[in-house]
Amino acid sequence: MAKVILTPTQTPTLFLEAENITPDVLAGKNAAEIAALHGFVGKTTVTLGDYFTVEGAGGQTAADTTVVINGDVSRVKYIGMKMSAGELIVNGNADMYVGGWMTGGKITVNGDIDAFAGLGMTGGELIVNGNAGNYLGAAYRGDWRGMQGGEIRVSGSAGSDVGTFMRGGTIVVGGNIDVHVGTHMEGGTIIVKGDAKTRVGGQMVKGTIYVYGDIDVMMPGFQYRNDVDLEVDGDNGHFALYEGDMGERHSKKKGVVIYGQLYMKY
Amino acid sequence: MTDYLIKNGFVFDPVQGINGDKVDVAIKDGKIVDAGDVTNPTVIDATGMTVMAAGVDIHAHVAGPKVNMGRNFRPEDKLFNCTAGSGIKRMEGGFSVPTVLRTAYLYARMGFGFSMEAAMPPLYARHTHEEIRDTPIIDQGALPVFGNNWFVLEYLKEDEIENTAAYIAWLLNQTKGFGIKCVNPGGTESWGWGLNCEKVDDVVPYFDVTPRQIVSGLIKANEYLGLPHCTHIHGNSLGEPGNYGITLDTLKIAEGIKPQNDFGREVVLHNTHLQFHCYGGESYASKSFESKSKEVVNYINSVDNISYDLGVVTLDETTTMTADGPFEHHLSHMNNLKWANTDVELETGSGIVPFIYNPKTFIAGAQWAIGLECGLFIKDPMRAYVTTDAPNAGPLCRYPRVYKWLMSAKARDDVLDNTLKYGDRIRERCYIGELDREISLYELAMMTRAGPAKTLGLSHMFGSLKPGLEGDVAVYPYNPETDTDDPEKIEYAFGNAAYLIKGGKLIVKEGEIVDMGNKRTFWVNAKVNENPMVERDIAEKFRRYYTVTQNNYTVKGPHFVPNPYVIEVDSTK
Ligand SMILES: [Zn+2]
């Protein structure tokens, strides 16, 4: 597998928008060609070479290209946007939109990421060995198509509005999560291994949320159904099942109404 | 001003009977002149290309409060759909609800010179005009909506045509409007009561008037005033299975009414987006739903005083927006996407819902077929105009794709066989399968410029290359002799005009936009006899009901309409 190593040489004064940093774009290019790829800082067009040293080269296709960013890119946005295959490793913190609209491949961030990661993603893996910001796996502003497939794993905590308009795929948060989880959710699974605050599953139509810890205030639109023993993400536990949001529309399957499901671990 | 001579192109001008002949087109001082009347012109070599008068759009939603609400509540419409400025162009963005700049650039690239904004809520006319002002290049007008207006409902309950006409004249002047638009007559007002008008004889609550009375009265008032355009109607029960009977009932209201105007207009009723009004069956299911386009267009073919536009569904994700409030509410419950709604005090209402015409569903495919059928059954293409009711049935940028479908049976078959999931079922339930007609370039010129110009009462300015008309000419990179092999060439050419001259200014040069033109806003100043009663009613309504005073209502001054083009009519004689 061909490897491209990007090492940050300076921190952008504003923010660098670098949607070209994906295995898809870097495939088939040598170091000089990669350095010449454009990015944006504000309204000015810059090159990746202005902000990174580039070593190595892309493989023939995205699938045989690994991109490694060695250093802090907490002022670089859109890393791995729309990637479809291959691997991307960030050894440092990254800014917003990591893996936005990704369809395949694997991104590993060994650090923290900011908001809108995995936005509208339809496939692939996004692994965050650190904390995630707001709107993880959510939909773009105004859109009703949040995360639809693939998997997001955050070892630390996550911000607010995780999985808004989520329709498929899985989000696992190892730590705590802020307000508004799975708002308007219509499919997929969110697992929160720590505590949640308020507004979990508001206007949820379908899908499943597991919370291992506490929920500060339960949404009034959820009703307790029964207790159940489950294996979730390799952990065994005793859960209380709630269904909702009762204020939202719900489809029927074979005459049975399908609700959103919220499992709370005892 | 530079003179132009467009040489060696294949010219299509149905008004002059020019059908693909190689005729030189000359422009002097902003007007078309005989080729011999220009001296030292800038020569445009149109060898191997198609030359037509600039396009005229009779119905699109491109400016005003609901368009802007569509932009505001659909940021995702601009996602990955923006182009940075270059040269003289500023940044443009948006797919189904483009920015005003993209709207202007799109029209220019499609070779258009005039667009009619199809629904202006009078109370928000100021906003509409501000957007029109900020849309460069093209000339525009706007149709205020009248079909649910309290004055109109009250006067037409008693069939008071003169009072209705006086009020219309006042409102056109106040809003700098061009003509009469009527959306879901009576239905939007009923919606304020949680009801709708589904048939032409349903009664509007409180006002005790019917859609039939509203439509009939507006047509009569229109002809009383002698307005350039006719009454422009979006009838009741838009989009409802089985609505074709209501459409026929609406059309028949015009029976026997003769056009009265000095503009050469021959029709008294324009039925907009006919596609949405030609449905048979009882539900959207493929075993019930069917096309009734043939029945409706056959009726229109049998009379001579009705025109229509198609409203072709383009199988895209788009944004629906209409003054038909109850319809949008209904739609939002069908697709469960976001919905915006407003009531415009005393006048109208509006709703907005994003919509995906998914080619994998039967109904979207059937709607696509019906829109094209409406264009293919017409006997006189001077009375059927290409639109997508932009953005309701499809985005503005899809016009060239619609031309391709109308002009190529092969392109239609390709959609039926490869794009649609239920192509065969749609062939059974609609007429598309039995239609092998291919619209010619000559007919296309009727359906996109000569016809709409005539029905708008603007044939003395637009729609033809006759000497004396505005110097509005489009040159398309389409060779009618050699480019007939591949329908994709139609779509490309009509979306990428090689040249556009508008009002004698070169706007598009070798495919690039190079000038922002001299945009004008067209409105109609209708003179009527003094009418103290209507004047008193207006003062009374402002005093009692409107949240604004008349001073904050009137569209006035150069701020709102910096470049007016006023058409005068006089009914006092
Ligand atoms: Zn319309």
Side-chain angles (χ1 to χ4, degrees), chain A residues 82 141-142 144-145 249, chain B residues 74-76 80 317 336 338:
Chain A
K82 292 187 178 174
R141 291 259 193 239
W144 56 89
R145 289 155 290 207
R249 77 196 144 82
Chain B
R74 291 210 63 193
E76 75 279 10
F80 309 130
E317 176 180 324
N336 297 312
K338 52 192 169 181

Side-chain angles (χ1 to χ4, degrees), chain A residues 195-207:
Chain A
D195 295 334
K197 289 181 175 170
T198 62
R199 298 183 190 147
V200 179
Q203 291 187 278
M204 186 176 181
V205 176
K206 227 158 85 177

Side-chain angles (χ1 to χ4, degrees), chain B residues 18-31:
Chain B
I18 303 171
N19 187 359
D21 308 333
K22 283 191 183 166
V23 185
D24 292 346
V25 177
I27 296 164
K28 186 184 174 67
D29 297 330
K31 301 270 195 270

Side-chain angles (χ1 to χ4, degrees), chain B residues 59 61 118 181 273 389 392:
Chain B
H59 186 112
H61 303 270
K181 174 75 183 298
H273 38 70
D389 187 19
N392 284 304

Side-chain angles (χ1 to χ4, degrees), chain A residues 59-100:
Chain A
Q60 290 220 312
T61 63
D64 33 58
T65 301
T66 298
V67 183
V68 181
I69 302 176
N70 277 329
D72 180 76
V73 279
S74 56
R75 291 174 89 85
V76 181
K77 298 177 197 287
Y78 299 109
I79 292 166
M81 182 172 109
K82 292 187 178 174
M83 76 180 262
S84 68
E87 213 178 332
L88 202 159
I89 299 159
V90 182
N91 293 315
N93 300 334
D95 197 42
M96 294 177 177
Y97 296 99
V98 173

